[in-house]
Amino acid sequence: MKLYLQQKYQNRKIDIIVTQSVSAAALLTEFYGFFPDVPKIYLEPGANFTVPESINTVTINAKLDYKQATQDAVNLINPKELIVILDTTNDMGRNFYQNLLPVIGNDFPHLRIEKWFDVPTETLINKINNAPSDAIVLFTPIFRKYKGKQLSPFQFVKLLTSDNQAPIFSYWHALLGSGIVGGYLLSGETIGNRIAESIIFLRKIKA
């Protein structure tokens, strides 16, 4: 992958590199000497990420308040059960597991907790459609292939909300319009503004 990227961009001027997610940050830091003089912005690289020693590096850890968001959902619906949908087969899903599950276990002990982890798509659709009405579903972004098509998290949760009984909540503003219930959501627009500010900052340093 390193060789492929170096060949692809060898004749192009790169001003700034931005990574998004744990796996992307890990991949870039493993490429020692990969465009070493190009400023880099690491967005949401994970709690275990070690920041490279460089003045041309910015790390942005978007603060997603799982406790507040979940509490708002619970206050709105007053459910008896929380159902957590999660894929643990990738770095992104494992990161959600490490950050979300302790909050669910510690702060909502009075509610029943169901963990629907790595459930096949057809089975998950059936489970959602038959979920009790006194439950709420907490959805974390999942990428799946369904009927020959690769679905984004927005498309996937839209599939799940087509005939659901229990309301589905999530934590990201970008999923509004898919059928989730709104609430305390992390804004991609706000993160974009922070990236833009970081780009301006790095350009000033370079100048």
Side-chain angles (χ1 to χ4, degrees), residues 9 23 32 45 56 62 69 83 93 97 101 105 141 144 148 161 179 193 199-200:
Y9 294 105
S23 55
Y32 180 77
N56 290 329
I83 299 169
Y97 178 88
L101 265 294
R144 288 282 181 87
T161 58
N193 288 335
I199 290 173
I200 294 171

Side-chain angles (χ1 to χ4, degrees), residues 54-181:
S54 171
I55 61 171
N56 290 329
T57 298
V58 172
T59 301
I60 300 175
N61 288 302
K63 177 72 170 133
L64 204 167
D65 194 333
Y66 288 109
K67 180 178 178 180
Q68 183 64 57
T70 306
Q71 187 64 63
D72 282 2
V74 170
N75 291 344
L76 180 65
I77 303 297
N78 193 27
K80 295 181 179 179
E81 181 177 0
L82 296 179
I83 299 169
V84 183
I85 298 177
L86 185 64
D87 271 358
T88 63
T89 56
N90 55 68
D91 287 339
M92 182 173 67
R94 286 189 288 271
N95 190 53
F96 295 145
Y97 178 88
Q98 293 172 357
N99 291 284
L100 174 60
L101 265 294
V103 171
I104 299 299
N106 294 333
D107 294 281
F108 303 94
H110 59 292
L111 299 176
R112 300 191 308 272
I113 308 294
E114 281 203 38
K115 302 173 184 177
W116 294 355
F117 295 173
D118 308 313
V119 178
T121 300
E122 288 286 1
T123 304
L124 188 56
I125 292 172
N126 290 331
K127 289 173 74 70
I128 288 285
N129 291 345
N130 292 286
S133 57
D134 62 353
I136 62 175
V137 179
L138 303 176
F139 175 83
T140 62
I142 291 175
F143 293 86
R144 288 282 181 87
K145 181 174 284 188
Y146 182 66
K147 294 185 177 180
K149 295 182 179 180
Q150 188 67 42
L151 302 182
S152 68
F154 185 96
Q155 293 168 321
F156 188 65
V157 74
K158 191 172 184 178
L159 179 67
L160 298 180
T161 58
S162 60
D163 194 27
N164 61 303
Q165 298 298 314
I168 299 179
F169 287 81
S170 195
Y171 301 91
W172 293 270
H173 189 271
L175 294 177
L176 276 180
S178 64
I180 68 164
V181 181

